[in-house]
Amino acid sequence: MTFLDAYFFAQAFHAEPPSQWPTDRIIKFEKRLRLESQLASTSESVNAQAQFLEVLKTQRPILAFLDAHPEFAHHFRQNTNLLQTYPDPDYERFGWSSLAADVEAFLSPDWEAFVAEEFEVERFYYLKFTWRYTDIMPAGVRRLIIHKLESKLESYRLATTSSKFDVEERLFVYYAELAEKIGEKKLIQLVQHIRRQQHEQLRDILESVNKPGIVNFFEILFGGFYYLFYHPSDPQEQRKRKRVMGDFKFTLIILGIIGVLIVGAAYYGEQQRAAIRNKQELEKLGFYPSLYYYDKNGVQLGPPYPDTLQTGYDFFQNRIISQGESGLTFINTSPFEVLLFSDANVINSFFKTEEKRQAARHCVWIGPRDTLRWDTHGIPFHLYVGKKISPTTHGKETWMPRFQYPSDQVQHYTPYPIEIHGGFMEFLGNNYNMILRADRAFYVNGQQKFRDTVFKLF
């Protein structure tokens, strides 16, 4: 417990200022103070406690000063509101010489501990505030502030002449303001020296920046290669080397990024040109005609699927789809096999992730003279008709299956997306005449076909 700790304890003991306590209250407080301090008793604590009790009993000037200027006592605990304007303290009413002697005798340990902590955590506002009490500041506290401030400024002075340190400009400004407030000659000279060094370094940087861009660029490159193998011992030259090497590394990074962009652009351009060439080649034939002239796209057909293939088998999902009570009922009364596959453009525009796109893709087989109930989920589908459905390969990839004998009658109709919500759709036909009809309105390539309309494929 320090002297200030005892003072704050007294404030908590009773609301009336300690300097105005009667004797009986002082006696009660003394008992309470001794009881509190028994658990953590040190020689320093006992001495500070005895000092405070002496001040309390003798009503010395320091007690009245602490009561009259609470901001003074509380700033040692960083509890003073520094945004508030406080009047200059009037020491004469307390007897300046007696008050200064009391502060020297009783508050020196608290004040020195406060200064050491503020410099440690670099809390400048309270350091500036404490200097307003310089008229009663103990000589040892003043020497401590000047010593620590000089030490800080000296480290900054070394930083301006050495390549191993960087000046923290924000902190230096605070230290400089504190030095100017104190007004000590050697501190002012240190601040001025540091600022001259900073000005010279800034001038060197500005001279480099103001040079034409191409000149500065080559100076950075040549300077960087020079200092890459030369390590000066002179502090000023070391700082110059540090600055040049920083610019040199940054320039190399920029050049590297530019090089990567050039190589990437060249690669991307070649990829785009190849994609355009491939697209142009494919556009000569087109995807939907390739279902009939697959060999022209390099698609190889395997042997036809076995007769055990079941209606409802989904080649994209590799399973037989479940047939529910709702959805489209597709009736195939023709002798041909029918393949219904989802419209890729709608899927790619509606689903953003590849996982969802894969889940939405369907390629469902319906056997001759068979029926399928299929929920299209509102996604348009295409009609592909033929005989002997077969697996396909394109290089190492497996593509959508093809008919070995696709129906020429449906060829021009396959690219048209069909959309219908519920009801039934019937496919009738033979080698010469094929018809698609529905029990309600449906859409073909965006055009509505009315219910009960017989829609001929040719």
Side-chain angles (χ1 to χ4, degrees), residues 53-190:
L53 289 173
E54 178 190 348
V55 167
L56 188 61
K57 293 174 182 178
T58 58
Q59 299 294 307
R60 295 190 63 84
I62 188 173
L63 197 61
F65 177 76
L66 291 175
D67 287 342
H69 297 278
E71 72 278 3
F72 173 73
H74 283 285
H75 98 276
F76 288 105
R77 300 294 186 267
Q78 298 85 33
N79 290 329
T80 297
N81 181 8
L82 301 185
L83 297 178
Q84 181 178 334
T85 301
Y86 299 98
D88 293 334
D90 179 11
Y91 303 115
E92 292 303 327
R93 55 183 285 214
F94 306 101
W96 176 80
S97 59
S98 298
L99 177 62
D102 285 352
V103 171
E104 176 87 31
F106 305 126
L107 285 186
S108 287
D110 282 285
W111 212 331
E112 289 175 359
F114 162 78
V115 169
E117 181 184 1
E118 296 305 291
F119 270 99
E120 179 68 25
V121 299
E122 297 179 318
R123 199 158 34 208
F124 307 96
Y125 300 110
Y126 283 103
L127 284 172
K128 290 174 65 177
F129 185 82
T130 202
W131 197 258
R132 75 194 298 264
Y133 303 102
T134 182
D135 291 340
I136 59 171
M137 182 180 291
V141 174
R142 181 185 178 92
R143 286 194 299 271
L144 179 63
I145 293 177
I146 294 174
H147 170 72
K148 285 190 171 295
L149 184 55
E150 183 180 8
S151 176
K152 288 287 185 180
L153 291 174
E154 183 64 24
S155 68
Y156 284 125
R157 186 190 69 79
L158 292 174
T160 59
T161 58
S162 172
S163 63
K164 298 180 181 179
F165 301 96
D166 288 318
V167 174
E168 297 178 76
E169 183 62 27
R170 179 182 63 84
L171 297 181
F172 169 69
V173 169
Y174 290 137
Y175 286 127
E177 290 178 355
L178 184 58
E180 292 169 357
K181 189 174 186 66
I182 293 173
E184 191 75 15
K185 184 177 180 181
K186 58 182 176 181
L187 299 180
I188 299 297
Q189 289 175 341
L190 267 175

